[in-house]
Amino acid sequence: MTSASRAVKKTPKSFADLPPIRVRREPPTVTEAVAAAQDLADDIEQQVEIACGLIGLPADEVRPHVLAAARKKPERAPERIMSHAGPSRAPRTVIVERRTRAPVVVERRGRPLDPRR
């Protein structure tokens, strides 16, 4: 019973002794690929290309799924939030309006021209 008090040192295993790591590869479903493409791009053709790249199917098979799932951006009405006021005041209405900005387009150019020329 004295062997339980003795520290037992384990021998370190090297990576060569371990079994190989098995990685399971499952391509996304059509629905998952279309949802990801919609989040990445607004243009339908770009969505088709992205979904094709994710799934590995030709564009002719993916396009109907993208068109069927095409969602129109809803027109957001301003939100009205009612706040609780004290007993002597009437409740206040707060209007929150969201403004959308135009997308920023960055044009890539080559090197600037040498002003000495």
Side-chain angles (χ1 to χ4, degrees), residues 42-50 59 63 66-67:
D42 292 330
D43 183 37
I44 298 291
E45 289 305 315
Q46 289 177 348
Q47 291 177 8
V48 170
E49 289 178 26
I50 292 170
R63 186 171 284 112
V66 172
L67 293 174

Side-chain angles (χ1 to χ4, degrees), residues 9-96:
K9 185 176 180 181
K10 290 187 175 182
T11 58
K13 291 186 176 182
S14 67
F15 287 111
D17 296 337
L18 297 174
I21 296 173
R22 295 187 304 172
V23 178
R24 191 171 166 185
R25 186 190 182 299
E26 291 183 19
T29 63
V30 176
T31 308
E32 293 170 343
V34 169
Q38 285 179 338
D39 289 339
L40 292 174
D42 292 330
D43 183 37
I44 298 291
E45 289 305 315
Q46 289 177 348
Q47 291 177 8
V48 170
E49 289 178 26
I50 292 170
C52 289
L54 291 172
I55 303 174
L57 292 176
D60 295 338
E61 292 182 29
V62 177
R63 186 171 284 112
H65 295 284
V66 172
L67 293 174
R71 56 183 167 180
K72 295 183 172 56
K73 292 185 179 179
E75 187 70 30
R76 293 188 84 165
E79 298 176 9
R80 294 186 181 267
I81 302 170
M82 297 294 288
S83 65
H84 296 288
S88 63
R89 295 188 339 188
R92 297 182 300 165
T93 302
V94 179
I95 299 175
V96 179

